[in-house]
Amino acid sequence: MLPSARNSLVSLSTRFPCRVARSRARALSTIDGSEFTPRTEFPFSSNLIKSYFLGHHKAGLSKMKQMVSSVELIIECRDYRVPLSSRNPLFEETLQGRERIIVYTKRDLAADVLNFRTQEIIQKWHAPHKVLFSDCKDKGDVQKIIHYARNTARNADHMTGSRMLVVGMPNVGKSSLLNAMRKVGTGSNVKAAITGGQPGVTRKIATGVKISEDPLVYLIDSPGVFVPYMPNPQTMLSLALVGCVDSSLLPTTSIADYLLYHLNLVDPRLYSAYHPPTNDIMELLEATAKITGRLKKGGVPEIEGTANWLINRYRSGVMGRFILDDVSETAYEKWLEDESNQGESLSAAKRRVKVERKEARVKKRMESEAK
């Protein structure tokens, strides 16, 4: 199978990781004629941080709850590369009572061509809610979302215009979508929302931005909101890999190793310019550092910088375009079941978050003193 064909495949199944990994390992062995076998499981560290619920997340969620009654439509954004991991159950609890459309952003970074079977499965997950898939640079994608918003506004028939709220996890592409909808809907090239490659760029509920003249529609940007506690380390690493979690909160080499794990399941040739197939992240980082000139004094490989470089190449679509979560008929139902089993009370989550933040501050101070 060629790399372009592999790019449209989802990666390991969260439910049947070994079975999926073994099937791909056999395919690689047959096609490449090599003895390399990808890892069938990833060794998750128990020390990975499990919280990223910041002050502006809580404040933003509280403000959204107050605004629900004054908006006609909620546009919830999720990252197409992590369709399950980028779901936030807090929105289900807080933003009830209003029509919702789910927009899977960054579809161009998950596959060069939208896989219609994958699209069909995800749409079934959310029925009867409307689901759309978006590449903000694709005018046709953006126009579909605007068309839906305009129809909603016409049905509401407000003299002063309709207001709609865009929500989602940190850095799933809310602000980019808003800017694209403003440009396509009104012709304005002036960016109404600040965007960035790291989460946390938008920290407050913004004022309404006009995205349509007839009917009159205003779209309101909001800060990305994380969950108070993330018990699943795989989900935490998936979100960190696509940029929904501040990379400084997790070991960069662990995120890079998680990327290597997925690259091997999809196609090891994605990093063949730097190293032959390997399950050892340090081997890949050292070789990549030497080839790309990321060296410290004495020719010592700069590991952290190289790890960040590789991660950013995946985030930009240069090092493979594939989905990290399982996309199957039963995946969503299984995800919701696991989510309910893993859930804990908000008070317990707050206590755990407080302890982990304290530990993170101590660790950061120790690392600073060691330099």
Side-chain angles (χ1 to χ4, degrees), residues 35-284:
E35 296 300 321
F36 173 71
T37 302
R39 288 172 287 181
T40 57
E41 294 182 0
F42 187 81
F44 296 104
S45 170
S46 59
N47 296 324
L48 285 176
I49 188 171
K50 299 179 180 66
S51 62
Y52 184 57
F53 194 65
L54 307 180
H56 65 274
H57 294 175
K58 181 179 179 181
L61 191 65
S62 178
K63 183 66 174 177
M64 291 176 205
K65 188 174 183 178
Q66 297 173 22
M67 295 179 61
V68 168
S69 61
S70 64
V71 300
E72 274 72 59
L73 178 68
I74 293 172
I75 301 176
E76 182 184 346
C77 295
R78 300 182 188 180
D79 191 316
Y80 187 45
R81 295 168 295 179
V82 280
L84 295 173
S85 298
S86 58
R87 173 187 182 271
N88 190 334
L90 291 178
F91 296 140
E92 308 289 338
E93 302 165 10
T94 306
L95 306 179
Q96 293 182 3
R98 276 294 174 268
E99 183 182 1
R100 178 183 310 184
I101 177 175
I102 299 172
V103 176
Y104 281 92
T105 61
K106 307 183 183 183
R107 71 162 179 83
D108 54 312
L109 298 180
D112 292 319
V113 178
L114 186 60
N115 184 304
F116 289 104
R117 175 56 180 159
T118 301
Q119 177 183 355
E120 184 181 62
I121 291 173
I122 292 177
Q123 287 173 331
K124 286 182 179 179
W125 286 354
H126 304 299
H129 291 299
K130 179 70 173 179
V131 177
L132 291 173
F133 302 85
S134 171
D135 167 7
C136 287
K137 298 182 290 295
D138 188 311
K139 185 176 179 179
D141 285 357
V142 178
Q143 190 65 59
K144 290 178 183 177
I145 305 170
I146 293 175
H147 179 71
Y148 191 89
R150 283 173 173 161
N151 283 342
T152 302
R154 289 190 181 99
N155 291 333
D157 194 24
H158 287 305
M159 294 293 294
T160 58
S162 291
R163 299 204 308 164
M164 301 176 182
L165 179 65
V166 58
V167 303
M169 286 277 229
N171 204 32
V172 292
K174 300 181 302 299
S175 297
S176 295
L177 178 63
L178 184 147
N179 286 332
M181 290 177 70
R182 175 181 171 84
K183 180 178 180 180
V184 174
T186 68
S188 174
N189 288 314
V190 178
K191 284 189 175 182
I194 302 173
T195 59
Q198 286 294 324
V201 175
T202 303
R203 289 178 173 263
K204 294 181 180 180
I205 299 287
T207 55
V209 174
K210 187 189 298 182
I211 62 165
S212 173
E213 293 279 2
D214 183 21
L216 191 57
V217 180
Y218 294 95
L219 191 59
I220 304 167
D221 199 8
S222 68
V225 176
F226 207 74
V227 293
Y229 178 66
M230 181 68 71
N232 188 338
Q234 178 168 315
T235 303
M236 199 68 173
L237 275 174
S238 293
L239 291 172
L241 181 53
V242 299
C244 292
V245 177
D246 191 331
S247 299
S248 66
L249 298 177
L250 290 88
T252 310
T253 51
S254 294
I255 302 174
D257 192 22
Y258 190 60
L259 170 61
L260 173 62
Y261 172 62
H262 281 285
L263 290 173
N264 282 336
L265 292 176
V266 175
D267 190 345
R269 287 173 293 181
L270 289 167
Y271 59 86
S272 61
Y274 314 111
H275 198 279
T278 179
N279 287 315
D280 190 326
I281 185 58
M282 295 309 295
E283 286 184 0
L284 176 60

